[in-house]
C-alpha cells in the first residue's frame, strides 16, 4: 500500500476562528491589536533567548494544501513508490520568532509594532518549547521542490485578504 503521514508544525491561515484559544498566534495577535492596539508576548525565562525571540516554524495553510495536493497527485499518478511511504514533517524548515510574527501582523495593517512582554505562566514555564523547526529533507528528497511562503508573505496575505475584510471572523 501507498501511504504517508504528516506532522504539521505551526499552521496558520484563513478559517481558524472556530479553534478558539487553539487558533494561531497571528489570529490572536490580530484580535489583540484590534481590541487594545498592542500585542502581548511571553517574556523569555531562559538566558539564551531574548524576550519575544522564542522560535517556531510557522507554515501558511495555503502551503500545507499545496503539499497535500502534490502528494495526492504523485501517489495517484503512480510516481510514488513504497520507499517514499512514511511520516513527513510539514513546516517551512525555517524557524522565526514570535516577535517577527507579531511585528508582521502590525505591518500588514499599516501599523507600527506595539509589543509588550508579559511573564509566562508558572504552570507552563518548565514545559515551554523555545525552538521548533521542521526538518524538510525527507519531503524534498521525495521530490517536493516548491518554495514556502515567507512569514512576511503569509501573514500579509492572511491579514489583508482574510482578517481585515471580514473583521476577524
Amino acid at each position: 500500500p501507498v501511504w504517508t503521514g504528516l506532522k504539521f508544525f505551526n499552521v496558520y491561515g484563513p478559517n481558524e476562528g472556530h479553534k478558539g484559544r487553539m487558533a494561531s498566534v497571528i489570529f490572536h495577535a490580530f484580535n489583540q491589536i484590534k481590541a487594545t492596539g498592542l500585542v502581548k508576548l511571553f517574556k523569555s525565562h531562559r538566558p539564551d533567548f531574548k524576550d519575544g525571540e522564542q522560535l517556531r516554524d510557522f507554515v501558511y495553510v495555503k502551503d500545507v494544501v499545496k503539499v497535500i495536493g502534490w502528494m495526492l497527485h504523485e501517489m495517484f499518478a503512480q510516481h510514488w513508490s513504497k520507499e517514499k511511504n512514511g511520516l513527513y514533517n510539514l513546516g517551512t524548515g525555517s524557524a522565526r520568532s514570535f516577535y517577527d510574527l507579531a511585528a508582521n501582523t502590525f505591518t500588514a495593517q499599516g501599523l507600527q509594532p506595539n509589543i509588550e512582554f508579559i511573564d509566562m505562566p508558572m504552570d507552563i514555564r518548565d514545559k515551554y518549547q523555545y525552538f521548533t523547526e521542521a526538518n524538510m529533507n525527507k519531503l524534498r528528497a521525495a521530490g517536493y521542490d516548491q518554495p514556502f511562503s515567507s512569514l512576511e508573505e503569509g501573514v500579509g496575505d492572511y491579514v489583508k485578504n482574510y482578517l481585515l475584510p471580514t473583521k476577524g471572523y
Side-chain angles (χ1 to χ4, degrees):
V2 176
W3 65 275
T4 63
L6 297 170
K7 179 183 178 185
F8 298 102
F9 278 66
N10 296 273
V11 180
Y12 66 91
N15 300 318
E16 64 176 325
H18 71 281
K19 296 188 323 188
R21 59 182 285 260
M22 297 308 292
S24 75
V25 177
I26 298 160
F27 179 83
H28 290 296
F30 176 84
N31 287 311
Q32 281 184 41
I33 294 165
K34 191 168 71 170
T36 67
L38 65 89
V39 169
K40 294 180 180 181
L41 295 177
F42 289 141
K43 290 179 183 176
S44 174
H45 293 277
R46 284 181 39 181
D48 52 334
F49 285 88
K50 294 178 183 175
D51 293 343
E53 296 300 317
Q54 301 92 328
L55 302 167
R56 293 284 187 282
D57 192 336
F58 300 104
V59 61
Y60 195 28
V61 70
K62 289 182 178 184
D63 292 322
V64 169
V65 170
K66 286 178 188 175
V67 170
I68 293 170
W70 174 83
M71 284 185 153
L72 289 172
H73 175 77
E74 289 297 303
M75 287 181 209
F76 290 120
Q78 304 302 323
H79 297 293
W80 205 260
S81 64
K82 288 183 180 182
E83 293 78 34
K84 293 182 183 178
N85 287 352
L87 299 174
Y88 289 82
N89 288 330
L90 190 40
T92 64
S94 180
R96 296 289 300 272
S97 73
F98 280 102
Y99 183 90
D100 290 342
L101 180 143
N104 278 287
T105 305
F106 280 100
T107 301
Q109 297 176 73
L111 302 171
Q112 290 296 313
N114 182 11
I115 300 169
E116 178 182 314
F117 297 101
I118 61 171
D119 283 325
M120 188 179 299
M122 290 299 292
D123 63 325
I124 65 169
R125 278 189 199 177
D126 62 340
K127 300 173 194 81
Y128 188 81
Q129 292 180 305
Y130 277 74
F131 176 82
T132 64
E133 184 175 82
N135 180 331
M136 301 299 291
N137 292 339
K138 187 172 182 177
L139 182 66
R140 295 298 189 192
Y144 190 78
D145 61 0
Q146 297 302 303
F148 288 89
S149 302
S150 70
L151 187 65
E152 291 78 7
E153 293 164 341
V155 171
D157 182 64
Y158 181 28
V159 170
K160 291 174 187 173
N161 297 313
Y162 298 94
L163 295 177
L164 281 175
T166 57
K167 306 297 184 246
Y169 66 94

